[in-house]
Amino acid sequence: MDSILRCEQITASYGAKTVLRDVTLRVPRGRILGLVGSSGSGKSTLARVITGLLAPAAGKLYYDGRELSPRRTPDERRNIQMVFQNPDGSFNPRKKVGTILGDVLLFHHRTDRAHLRQECGRLLERVGLAEGDLERYPLSFSGGQRQRIALARAMAAGPKLLILDEPTSALDVSVQRKILDLIRSLQQEQKLTLLFITHDLGIVYDICDDVAVLDEGRICEVTPSEEFFRSPRSARGALLLDSVPRIPEIAGDGALSIRPEQMGQEERHEDQMPEQKWAGGTA
């Protein structure tokens, strides 16, 4: 399968603490790869390495078959964009939305000043906001609306690879659904490749084509999504899947019941890989 990005034996550290250890990963072109793992497993660190925000201690990155150097070219920065878990931390609160989007469009030569407002308005409308919102400040929007603005800013660069780091974790369920629908629509419309980082396996089941499992800084499994939810290959993948809360079935008398296969899952040893089908629970 054609890969838009390859990570080869990436090691990354914060001071004396090594977070990623010899990570090798291929991101298939035109697909959505879900990156899952426990808190502290290195998911966000890998995203920072891919975007060039953190230099790896060892290993190499390849984009479209070309090695990425620590000093990225403007095209390399444009082609790989990221949407952060908390967009507030990446917005300048003193800048209006129009300026935030316009700066990206002008920096990457995506338009000229004569058509700047028109292009900014088009971006906002594409993510479900109005052109008039260009005159507002980020903090005047709801959490879901700010995440839409973050998506619009990332799309303003015209990327080919979009990294989403827990983009819905701070949103309520109804808003999550709308943001996920928007992400899927943008991916199909723009023929994007997505690296979707999340703790929520329900989201992975819903939106991702493939799943990569990161455990203590190492990739332990990469598999098609359908296969992962049917029978994960790694002990860590099985443990993550077992940890997903299930919705109990309602018996005929209205009482809640737990299916036998859902009982005692916490007692399954980590090195046993369960044969189970996804039960459609929520995470």
Side-chain angles (χ1 to χ4, degrees):
M1 187 179 295
D2 183 27
S3 301
I4 192 171
L5 181 84
R6 288 188 293 123
C7 305
E8 299 288 352
Q9 297 182 307
I10 295 295
T11 295
S13 305
Y14 295 107
K17 181 177 177 58
T18 300
V19 180
L20 298 176
R21 298 172 177 85
D22 296 322
V23 169
T24 295
L25 179 67
R26 294 172 182 263
V27 181
R29 188 185 304 274
R31 294 170 68 86
I32 303 178
L33 173 64
L35 181 62
V36 301
S38 304
S39 295
S41 60
K43 302 185 299 297
S44 295
T45 298
L46 181 57
R48 291 173 60 84
V49 170
I50 293 172
T51 54
L53 296 175
L54 177 67
K60 296 181 178 181
L61 290 167
Y62 297 89
Y63 175 81
D64 254 351
R66 297 187 301 273
E67 184 177 349
L68 292 173
S69 65
R71 295 178 62 86
R72 303 284 174 90
T73 67
D75 276 348
E76 289 169 346
R77 291 197 298 268
R78 177 180 65 81
N79 284 327
I80 304 175
Q81 291 290 309
M82 184 168 174
V83 175
F84 296 88
Q85 178 178 356
N86 178 15
D88 297 346
S90 58
F91 288 146
N92 185 334
R94 298 184 178 182
K95 287 188 176 183
K96 294 180 179 180
V97 171
T99 302
I100 291 171
L101 298 180
D103 286 348
V104 178
L105 289 167
L106 292 174
F107 180 83
H108 292 291
H109 307 289
R110 301 279 292 168
T111 189
D112 54 33
R113 292 192 177 275
H115 299 92
L116 186 60
R117 183 176 179 85
Q118 177 183 348
E119 285 300 307
C120 289
R122 182 187 63 80
L123 284 167
L124 276 193
E125 289 173 359
R126 181 61 194 86
V127 298
L129 298 175
E131 182 178 343
D133 292 328
L134 293 171
E135 300 301 323
R136 295 170 60 185
Y137 291 93
L139 292 181
S140 69
F141 293 90
S142 69
Q145 289 172 326
R146 288 198 291 272
Q147 201 60 281
R148 290 174 184 269
I149 295 168
L151 280 167
R153 182 180 60 181
M155 297 305 299
K160 295 179 181 178
L161 172 62
L162 185 60
I163 301 173
L164 301 123
D165 189 2
E166 299 276 6
T168 61
S169 63
L171 307 177
D172 65 54
V173 175
S174 61
V175 177
Q176 278 188 15
R177 176 72 270 162
K178 294 175 182 177
I179 295 297
L180 290 174
D181 288 343
L182 174 60
I183 289 170
R184 172 63 84 176
S185 176
L186 289 171
Q187 188 261 340
Q188 293 175 344
E189 177 186 302
Q190 303 295 326
K191 303 187 187 310
L192 293 170
T193 301
L194 303 186
L195 178 61
F196 199 111
I197 300 170
T198 182
H199 287 90
D200 192 332
L201 290 183
I203 290 177
V204 174
Y205 180 79
D206 182 66
I207 197 172
C208 295
D209 302 303
D210 307 285
V211 182
V213 180
L214 192 61
D215 182 27
E216 296 184 351
R218 300 180 188 274
I219 294 291
C220 59
E221 175 175 0
V222 182
T223 185
S225 180
E226 182 178 348
E227 181 178 334
F228 174 79
F229 286 99
R230 183 174 60 249
S231 179
R233 299 174 182 173
S234 66
R236 176 56 61 179
L239 185 62
L240 291 172
L241 199 56
D242 278 353
S243 300
V244 177
R246 304 303 204 266
I247 299 176
E249 291 183 339
I250 300 178
D253 58 1
L256 294 177
S257 64
I258 303 294
R259 285 169 290 185
E261 66 267 25
Q262 292 176 223
M263 299 179 65
Q265 288 181 339
E266 68 278 2
E267 299 176 1
R268 183 182 289 123
H269 195 271
E270 282 193 26
D271 62 6
Q272 293 176 319
M273 295 184 291
E275 286 287 338
Q276 74 172 62
K277 292 186 178 179
W278 177 243
T282 57

